[in-house]
């Protein structure tokens, strides 16, 4: 299974809706912060992948959901530099969990449609990504995305498809 994590209001739900709905999200679409979990079945070509989203408010108990996870999509709102410090602490917490020692990690810098380009670099500096990539065992892939504009959608779907067990054939 794939797990989608990130702080409150980082854009997890909208991003997953975009992946699930062939990119048919417009600028009037909104999401309410997830207070529990959501399951999204993302169809790529003829295969379906199950992605479980855990709300940011559930961060204290995320560790209860880490067993049998092969990939983690970690979403950070790149337009909110104030949130990035908290996001980095949460990211470090999950990366050191032994249950994820073999998991692939995708760091998604979301809301790039409302960010200026330099914010990407600032976000990566605040997350201390160069240091982190040297210190953790997991492979961390970094992508930029926008659920509204569709930026990064194709790349994220390709990342999900690579070496991930499918839920079922349709």
């Amino acid at each position: 299974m794939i797990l989608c994590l990130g702080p409150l209001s980082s854009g997890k739900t909208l991003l997953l809706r975009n992946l699930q709905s062939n990119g048919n999200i417009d600028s009037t679409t909104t999401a309410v912060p997830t207070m529990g979990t959501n399951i999204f079945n993302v169809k790529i070509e003829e295969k379906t992948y199950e992605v479980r989203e855990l709300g940011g408010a559930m961060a204290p108990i995320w560790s209860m959901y880490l067993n049998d996870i092969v990939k983690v999509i970690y979403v950070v709102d790149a337009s909110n530099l104030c949130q990035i410090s908290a996001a980095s602490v949460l990211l470090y917490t999950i990366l050191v969990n032994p249950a994820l020692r073999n998991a692939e990690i995708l760091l998604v810098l979301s809301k790039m449609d409302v960010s200026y380009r330099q914010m990407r670099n600032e976000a990566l500096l605040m997350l201390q990504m160069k240091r982190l990539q040297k210190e953790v065992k997991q492979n961390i892939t970094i992508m930029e995305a926008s659920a509204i504009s569709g930026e990064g959608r194709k790349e994220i779907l390709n990342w999900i498809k690579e070496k991930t067990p499918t839920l079922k054939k349709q």
Side-chain angles (χ1 to χ4, degrees), residues 20-135:
Q20 187 179 45
S21 68
N22 296 321
N24 296 327
I25 301 282
D26 63 36
S27 60
T28 62
T29 303
T30 59
V32 178
T34 303
M35 299 315 269
T37 70
N38 288 323
I39 302 288
F40 290 87
N41 291 322
V42 178
K43 189 173 182 181
I44 306 170
E45 296 165 2
E46 296 302 315
K47 298 179 181 177
T48 302
Y49 302 86
E50 186 175 88
V51 181
R52 177 186 299 256
E53 173 201 7
L54 299 180
M58 293 180 60
I61 61 169
W62 281 353
S63 60
M64 295 173 55
Y65 292 87
L66 302 180
N67 292 330
D68 301 321
I69 298 300
V70 294
K71 291 188 174 191
V72 175
I73 301 170
Y74 191 81
V75 181
V76 176
D77 178 353
S79 72
N80 184 351
L81 292 178
C82 296
Q83 182 193 77
I84 293 175
S85 296
S88 64
V89 171
L90 293 173
L91 177 60
Y92 299 163
T93 302
I94 62 164
L95 289 175
V96 298
N97 191 302
L100 293 180
R101 70 180 161 268
N102 296 318
E104 292 282 324
I105 310 295
L106 175 62
L107 174 63
V108 177
L109 300 175
S110 71
K111 303 184 185 181
M112 291 305 292
D113 55 321
V114 293
S115 302
Y116 57 89
R117 284 293 159 199
Q118 186 57 28
M119 287 182 94
R120 176 195 194 278
N121 296 333
E122 291 174 25
L124 294 176
L125 281 171
M126 291 177 76
L127 289 164
Q128 299 184 22
M129 285 311 299
K130 286 188 179 186
R131 178 180 175 198
L132 184 65
Q133 286 178 315
K134 290 178 186 175
E135 294 181 1

Side-chain angles (χ1 to χ4, degrees), residues 135-159:
E135 294 181 1
V136 298
K137 181 182 179 189
Q138 297 96 331
N139 180 33
I140 302 173
T141 303
I142 302 168
M143 292 184 191
E144 298 175 14
S146 167
I148 302 299
S149 73
E151 177 183 352
R153 182 180 188 282
K154 181 178 169 185
E155 293 82 0
I156 294 170
L157 290 172
N158 285 334
W159 181 87

